[in-house]
Amino acid sequence: MSRPTQHHPAATATAAAAVVLLLLAVSPAPSGADPDDKRCLSSLQQSLSGLRNWSKAAFSAPCEGFISRLQGVTCNNGRVYKLSLPGLSLAGAIPPDLSNCTNLQSLDLSSNALSGAIPPELSGLLNLAVLNLSANRLSGAIPRDLASCAYLNVIDLHANQLTGTIPDELGLLVRLSTFDVSYNRLSGPIPVLLANRSGPGAAARTTGRFNATSFVGNKDLYGYPLPPMRGHALSVLAIVGIGLGSGLLSLVLSFSAVCLWLRATDRTATMPGEEGKISHLMPDY
């Protein structure tokens, strides 16, 4: 009969240690913050005042899986994917380097005191689905480059001081379901692809359409669903004025024509005719 195999404690401990060392060698070492996210958050902290518990030390490791130590930051697999900082009385300008948060899907900086322009560099956030910069003091034009963010579902820019026209390119964002630029200083025509047309043929359009509430509060903005351009529509007073002016001119011309006719008739009546002349020259018999 064979004897049972005996295990020596020393040999077992050595084998276990070897397995642990092998696992450590194979598994990847934990990495620090993504350098792009670090630049993004650092630029935001330098540009905006009012951010609480945002320290440079936290930028070295802003994400621990799905958790972040920074206020308003949400992470996904170690990357910043959401920035939600509404109503915190933040002041300053939106930094162009915010585009370094390349995994960002939602950006909400609404109801603050942000000023300056919307950086065109935000078009580099190719995964962005929600952009809410409403109720600030932003000025300048709406960047047409935002049309590069093909996943945008929400663009909310209402209650700012934006100027210029609404870029036609934004009408090509097929996923856009919310669009609000009301109460700014925008001008020019509303892009047709953003209008809410419910008439025949509208079903063939695949892009999202918005009603007048998305555009009100911009006095120089015109076109459906807002009223047409003011310069092309005559007011009631203008129409009445044109009518009265035309009538008065016709009356003056008619009166002048009658006066000329009467004068010509009177002159003809006072001139002796040829018959009178001949009878005057004939001798009396």
Side-chain angles (χ1 to χ4, degrees), residues 30-180:
S31 58
D34 184 277
D36 288 336
D37 286 351
K38 187 175 181 179
R39 282 195 295 270
C40 165
L41 298 175
S42 178
S43 67
L44 198 62
Q45 191 267 342
Q46 293 174 9
S47 298
L48 303 184
S49 60
L51 287 171
R52 302 180 182 90
N53 80 341
W54 277 51
S55 62
K56 294 182 179 180
F59 297 153
S60 59
C63 293
E64 296 177 0
F66 295 90
I67 302 173
S68 176
R69 301 175 185 175
L70 296 174
Q71 178 190 18
V73 177
T74 305
C75 299
N76 185 13
N77 292 327
R79 293 294 310 275
V80 175
Y81 95 102
K82 183 177 182 181
L83 281 173
S84 182
L85 299 165
L88 298 177
S89 300
L90 302 179
I94 301 174
D97 285 342
L98 188 60
S99 60
N100 285 311
C101 284
T102 53
N103 205 47
L104 197 64
Q105 297 181 28
S106 178
L107 176 60
D108 186 356
L109 299 175
S110 61
S111 302
N112 285 293
L114 304 181
S115 57
I118 301 175
E121 289 82 359
L122 293 185
S123 61
L125 300 173
L126 300 181
N127 295 310
L128 194 64
V130 176
L131 177 63
N132 189 351
L133 304 177
S134 62
N136 280 286
R137 302 171 186 170
L138 299 173
S139 58
I142 300 174
R144 62 183 64 251
D145 299 331
L146 289 178
S148 300
C149 304
Y151 293 102
L152 273 173
N153 293 317
V154 175
I155 296 179
D156 191 350
L157 305 175
H158 82 269
N160 278 287
Q161 301 170 14
L162 300 172
T163 56
T165 60
I166 302 175
D168 292 330
E169 291 83 350
L170 298 184
L172 301 176
L173 293 169
V174 296
R175 298 173 183 264
L176 200 60
S177 60
T178 299
F179 182 76
D180 193 348

Side-chain angles (χ1 to χ4, degrees), residues 196-220:
N196 181 15
R197 296 186 181 275
S198 56
R205 296 187 177 96
T206 57
T207 48
R209 311 326 60 183
F210 309 98
N211 58 33
T213 58
S214 296
F215 307 101
V216 295
N218 297 278
K219 66 176 183 178
D220 294 323

Side-chain angles (χ1 to χ4, degrees), residues 260-270:
L260 290 174
W261 180 80
L262 290 174
R263 182 177 298 179
T265 303
D266 183 63
R267 182 178 300 175
T268 303
T270 56

